[in-house]
Amino acid sequence: MPPPPSPAPAAEPEQRGGWFSRLKAGLSRSTAKLTDSVTSLFRKRRLDEEALEELEETLITADLGVAASRRIVEGFRRTRFGKEVTDEEVKATLAEEIAAILGPVARPMPIDPARAPHVVLVVGVNGTGKTTTIAKLGQQYREQGLRCAFVAGDTFRAAAVEQLQIWGDRTGAKVHAPAKQGADAAGLAFDALTAARADGTQVLLVDTAGRLHNKTALMEELRKVVRVLRRVDPTAPHSVLLVLDATTGQNALQQAKVFKEMVDVSGLAVTKLDGSAKGGVVVALAQEFGLPVHFVGVGEKAADLRPFEARDFARGLMGLE
């Protein structure tokens, strides 16, 4: 089992510059993939149809997706067509167009402690970073003074259960773990929510399985977890967070489509941007699904998972300050 990320101590809120620098550094591979092509395309070149076609191909290759790439190119056609442009002007305009796509989906995940607890069902394919994301969120909520608990609902993966237990020790979060490997995840969720309501837990983060190779069985398991949670609290889960791994590129779109069919996904967390040259997929996800992007992750520490900001992401992706 890979070691869990190092816990970050409680600290004063970080200045934008510090986080933006980390975000920009984390996006550097994606930036290079995108801007190297843009720079080679535009060196005081007139923006004609051939240039626009090449720009669209560049954006698609950088994982922004066909629909978003066409939308961005149409923006260029309306405002810059026939004009002589430099690569720097193109990068600045690209950042503006990308921010316009991302702006409507850059929304924080609301936590309502008055629900006692606010239940967050965390879903996604195994390996995307679900368990680590739960751990990071748990630490952040603890630092905000909220009482958290974890549910190790990926009961077939001993490593996931062990990782949450380690993080529970570090953060002071209670961990509801299965009595044995392969135990019923829905029953565990039922017991955990019942206990959380009794002991004053404010945020309950529920890990789930992600064995997508058996889609029908996974769908039934997730739906059963939701049904059982609602026996305790008819409004639960209050958030359904889909965790996507940026390194999978366009495959993340298929995962989003499949999980939307399974459960009522309310928002996204995109992880591992620092290990990927496919950060443009966040733009494709925004254009394709319009789901809120709550968090992006660019490292192993708890502070490396942060609320998503459209303008910062767009400018970071283009290598701009």
Side-chain angles (χ1 to χ4, degrees):
M1 181 187 75
S6 303
E12 292 298 316
E14 184 178 25
Q15 295 297 314
R16 175 192 176 275
W19 164 243
F20 182 72
S21 295
R22 294 216 308 282
L23 175 65
K24 190 176 174 184
L27 288 169
S28 59
R29 295 185 190 183
S30 301
T31 300
K33 184 176 180 180
L34 185 55
T35 59
D36 288 354
S37 298
V38 168
T39 299
S40 64
L41 270 177
F42 298 99
R43 292 189 183 280
K44 287 234 167 188
R45 177 180 178 181
R46 191 172 298 280
L47 202 62
D48 55 16
E49 280 299 334
E50 182 182 358
L52 287 174
E53 284 181 17
E54 291 182 36
L55 177 60
E56 184 173 338
E57 290 173 10
T58 294
L59 297 176
I60 292 171
T61 303
D63 287 283
L64 276 77
V66 173
S69 299
R70 286 179 178 167
R71 174 176 167 177
I72 291 167
V73 168
E74 282 305 311
F76 272 85
R77 183 176 278 110
R78 287 194 306 272
T79 60
R80 298 284 197 279
F81 189 76
K83 297 178 181 177
E84 194 172 88
V85 292
T86 66
D87 58 330
E88 289 302 317
E89 288 172 333
V90 171
K91 284 192 279 189
T93 304
L94 274 173
E96 292 172 6
E97 295 285 347
I98 290 169
I101 293 172
L102 297 178
V105 303
R107 302 205 294 275
M109 185 171 76
I111 294 294
D112 182 5
R115 291 184 182 278
H118 184 112
V119 180
V120 182
L121 187 69
V122 183
V123 302
V125 174
N126 285 347
T128 57
K130 293 192 306 295
T131 306
T132 304
T133 296
I134 287 170
K136 290 175 179 177
L137 289 175
Q139 174 144 329
Q140 291 180 19
Y141 293 142
R142 182 205 66 174
E143 291 169 2
Q144 295 168 22
L146 297 174
R147 185 174 182 181
C148 296
F150 304 148
V151 182
D154 190 356
T155 61
F156 281 91
R157 284 203 313 135
V161 175
E162 183 182 342
Q163 190 175 6
L164 275 186
Q165 288 173 324
I166 291 170
W167 269 94
D169 291 340
R170 288 181 173 181
T171 63
K174 183 175 181 178
V175 179
H176 300 272
K180 61 180 181 178
Q181 188 170 335
D184 179 51
L188 179 65
F190 179 90
D191 291 343
L193 181 51
T194 302
R197 284 166 66 92
D199 67 17
T201 295
Q202 293 169 296
V203 184
L204 186 68
L205 294 154
V206 184
D207 201 0
T208 61
R211 300 179 297 279
L212 196 56
H213 59 275
N214 192 343
K215 177 184 168 184
T216 303
L218 177 59
M219 182 182 294
E220 178 50 36
E221 179 173 324
L222 290 176
R223 288 178 174 170
K224 183 179 178 184
V225 168
V226 170
R227 287 197 305 271
V228 167
L229 287 171
R230 287 177 178 167
R231 291 180 193 168
V232 184
D233 179 351
T235 66
H238 308 110
S239 303
V240 179
L241 182 68
L242 171 60
V243 180
L244 298 169
D245 176 349
T247 63
T248 62
Q250 292 298 298
N251 194 41
L253 274 74
Q254 179 61 22
Q255 292 175 23
K257 180 176 182 293
V258 169
F259 277 93
K260 270 175 58 66
E261 293 170 0
M262 292 186 186
V263 285
D264 188 16
V265 173
S266 58
L268 308 176
V270 183
T271 65
K272 306 183 187 180
L273 283 161
D274 54 316
S276 171
K278 302 175 182 291
V281 74
V282 178
V283 185
L285 286 163
Q287 178 67 34
E288 184 78 19
F289 298 105
L291 284 168
V293 181
H294 295 316
F295 306 101
V296 289
V298 294
E300 285 299 309
K301 294 182 179 178
D304 292 329
L305 182 75
R306 294 289 291 271
F308 180 63
E309 299 284 348
R311 184 178 183 276
D312 283 357
F313 187 91
R315 294 189 69 79
L317 187 62
M318 297 310 304
L320 303 173
E321 294 300 329

